[in-house]
């Protein structure tokens, strides 16, 4: 039972770390998009373009479904804010409940 509890704890640790990494990627993507709009950073720079492309590929699966639901606010995209709130809610409320349920399934909690 201790091994199962340790494995479950590790799985939830990795899931929490991935959610934190996703939050960081969304935040960096937002700041980078502002830098593009304000013409502080040139999108044609190869290094910056690759970072922007990678961040877009990483964050698009989370932001695209939200963009389909959230109405357009005249050019202001609030989907990153909503995504960050949802990720924090999952980390604060759903992950601990799921962790407790998983531990109770293996009889360790």
């Amino acid at each position: 039972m201790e091994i199962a509890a340790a494995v479950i704890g590790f799985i939830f640790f990795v899931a929490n770390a991935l959610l934190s990494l996703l939050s960081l990627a969304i935040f960096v993507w937002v700041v980078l998009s502002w830098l593009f709009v304000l013409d502080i950073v040139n999108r044609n720079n190869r290094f910056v373009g690759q970072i922007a492309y990678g961040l877009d590929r990483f964050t698009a699966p989370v932001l695209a479904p939200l963009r389909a639901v959230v109405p357009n606010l005249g050019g202001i995209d609030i989907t990153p804010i909503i995504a960050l709130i949802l990720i924090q809610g999952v980390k604060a409320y759903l992950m601990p409940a799921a962790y407790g349920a998983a531990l109770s399934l293996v009889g360790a909690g």
Side-chain angles (χ1 to χ4, degrees):
M1 296 292 180
E2 288 181 25
I3 293 175
V7 169
I8 289 171
F10 179 73
I11 290 170
F12 278 89
F13 170 76
V14 170
N16 192 25
L18 289 174
L19 287 173
S20 296
L21 182 64
L22 181 61
S23 294
L24 179 65
I26 290 172
F27 180 75
V28 170
W29 180 82
V30 166
V31 170
L32 191 60
S33 69
W34 289 343
L35 293 176
F36 287 148
V37 168
L38 297 174
D39 205 21
I40 295 172
V41 175
N42 187 0
R43 186 182 293 266
N44 294 328
N45 182 331
R46 186 178 197 143
F47 178 71
V48 174
Q50 287 179 346
I51 290 175
Y53 177 75
L55 287 172
D56 188 51
R57 296 279 301 204
F58 190 65
T59 59
V62 174
L63 297 177
L66 290 175
R67 285 190 180 116
V69 175
V70 176
N72 188 359
L73 297 176
I76 298 174
D77 186 14
I78 63 167
T79 55
I81 296 169
I82 294 171
L84 289 173
I85 291 170
L86 289 174
I87 290 169
Q88 293 304 318
V90 167
K91 286 174 59 176
Y93 297 106
L94 296 181
M95 291 284 285
Y99 179 68
L103 285 180
S104 68
L105 284 175
V106 296

